[in-house]
Amino acid sequence: MAHKLAFIGFGGVGQGLANIINTKGSWLKEQFGTDFQVVSIADLYKGSLHHPEGLNIEKVLNTLQEYGSLEHYPEERGLIRGWDSITTIEKSNADTMIEITFTDVHTGQPAIDHCKKAFESGKNAVLTNKGPVALAYQRLKQLADENNVRFLFEGTVMSGTPALRMPLVSLAGNDINEIRGIFNGTTNYMLTKMEEGMSFENALEEAQSKGYAEADPTSDIEGYDVLYKVVILANVVMNEPLRKEDVACKGISHLTPEDMKQAAEEGKKWKLLGKIKKTDGRIEASVEPEKIAADDPLAGISGSLNAVTYDCDLSGPVTLIGAGAGISETGFALLIDLINLERENM
């Protein structure tokens, strides 16, 4: 039986997952026994569609490419238009909600309410939206468990790079004493350019021109994006109820060419690090730029790459490197959550 999906939000990442399902659906079914069927799409700007027997994804993507909205999706028997996000979650016959709306890292809304409604409606939630996990993980996880559904969010930390599943599965049995990493590609790209002699302002302008930084880059350059990822890692991997208010946070906007020169003279590199450390039963977390030694595994991470080191009592330090953003990479993060949901894995 097909696993039915409802997309709440249908921007680049949602379309990326839809394209994967459209182009690789037969192969996924053959290799993994999974059969994913999109029955609902609700997007604030593009419109909404629902068909209980499944939408034609190729037609959906072609319609968006040609018209920019779902309004011109061809009429067919059984098609319903116009549901808002909450109505879609309540009335859709989907098994799983894909929550990929805009991340409001201050309130977590409306994504927190979307997750609550999904769980109360007996639906799983798979998301890349950091807000609900960073701001409401404990109560949403409890609500999902109470309703015997799943709450999966691999893509919230390092996109398609398994920064959550690897420590939870492959490093199981270790006591992870410290997590430290580069969790923001925009700032890492900028610091790489600043090492080459570029000013902060010019590095930011280039990052924006390449699509790494938003028109309003505050969340990246002031460290807020990393802060929420640190909170997620603490709660999910270390099982510590850390809140964003508990994390000291400082960005990179104060760094100057003189700072870069000094680090080079010391044989070090500036990196914006997110860190969580357990000491004598206490948890400490921070986000701030640091000069790190050239032989540190994180020192060699350049450009827009992300990386994280887990300090484990049995296996020793383990470093994971990969893309931290991107449409296809984040679409893959959603896919791997769906595949593991079907397999009843973590």
Side-chain angles (χ1 to χ4, degrees), residues 115-127 136-153:
C115 291
K116 289 171 63 178
K117 183 60 65 176
F119 300 150
E120 291 164 356
S121 302
K123 296 176 174 63
N124 309 298
V126 171
L127 54 154
Y137 172 71
Q138 301 292 343
R139 56 191 170 100
L140 288 176
K141 180 67 167 63
Q142 181 179 353
L143 187 60
D145 291 345
E146 288 172 356
N147 287 277
N148 198 32
V149 291
R150 303 286 299 282
F151 182 32
L152 300 175
F153 38 82

Side-chain angles (χ1 to χ4, degrees), residues 181-195 200 203-204 207-208 212-214 217-227 229 250-253 255 260 270-274 287-289 301-306:
I182 297 167
F183 299 115
N184 184 270
T186 299
T187 49
N188 202 54
Y189 179 84
M190 290 174 61
L191 290 172
T192 300
K193 290 299 176 181
M194 290 169 71
E195 287 173 1
F200 172 85
L204 174 56
Q208 289 173 321
Y212 297 143
E214 301 289 343
T218 305
S219 182
D220 291 328
I221 64 175
E222 298 302 337
Y224 304 140
D225 175 66
V226 178
L227 183 154
K229 294 173 181 179
K250 188 175 184 180
I252 68 167
S253 58
L255 294 177
M260 297 294 146
W270 282 101
K271 296 295 178 185
L272 181 63
L273 297 184
V287 176
E288 62 180 332
I301 308 303
S302 61
S304 60
L305 281 175
N306 283 194

Side-chain angles (χ1 to χ4, degrees), residues 166-203:
M166 189 186 82
L168 291 174
V169 177
S170 299
L171 299 179
N174 280 288
D175 184 11
I176 298 178
N177 303 304
E178 184 177 15
I179 301 173
R180 56 195 293 270
I182 297 167
F183 299 115
N184 184 270
T186 299
T187 49
N188 202 54
Y189 179 84
M190 290 174 61
L191 290 172
T192 300
K193 290 299 176 181
M194 290 169 71
E195 287 173 1
E196 298 171 1
M198 195 175 284
S199 68
F200 172 85
E201 291 77 14
N202 289 340

Side-chain angles (χ1 to χ4, degrees), residues 154-168:
E154 180 63 69
T156 58
V157 174
M158 281 174 58
S159 187
T161 305
L164 295 174
R165 186 164 280 110
M166 189 186 82
L168 291 174

Side-chain angles (χ1 to χ4, degrees), residues 5 8 33 47-48 63 74 96 114-116 136-137 146 161 181 199 215 237 247 267 287 294 309 325 330 335:
L5 308 175
I8 306 301
S48 67
T63 298
T96 297
H114 290 161
C115 291
K116 289 171 63 178
Y137 172 71
E146 288 172 356
T161 305
S199 68
V237 175
V247 183
V287 176
T309 297
T330 311
L335 175 67

